[in-house]
Amino acid sequence: KDFYDNVFFPILEKENIYASAASSCSSGAQDPSHVLAAMGYSRDLAGGSLRLSLGYRTSETDIQAALEVIPRSIVQLRETGS
């Protein structure tokens, strides 16, 4: 949770991408998604998931931006050892 809140999410937010590490139905809890657990994912793997929500105002440009920014940010963090 600290990694997401203090390191990863601020990088995404600078690019106007807003994400969550928690299940959408968890009402503020930071537990891994019960759906991923039901699919057989381990708690550790499910805990590393990233949730993005799309709405009627989400454009193709928004999706393309996320597809460029998220992988680039992960590579950047791995290279810096964060």
Side-chain angles (χ1 to χ4, degrees), residues 4 9 11 14 17 21 26-27 47-49 53 55-56 60 65 81:
Y4 280 118
F9 289 157
I11 291 171
K14 286 180 185 176
I17 296 172
S26 65
S27 299
S49 64
S53 296
Y56 70 93
E60 180 84 22

Side-chain angles (χ1 to χ4, degrees), residues 56-70:
Y56 70 93
R57 294 176 56 187
T58 304
S59 69
E60 180 84 22
T61 302
D62 296 330
I63 295 168
Q64 288 301 320
L67 290 173
E68 292 172 17
V69 169
I70 293 169

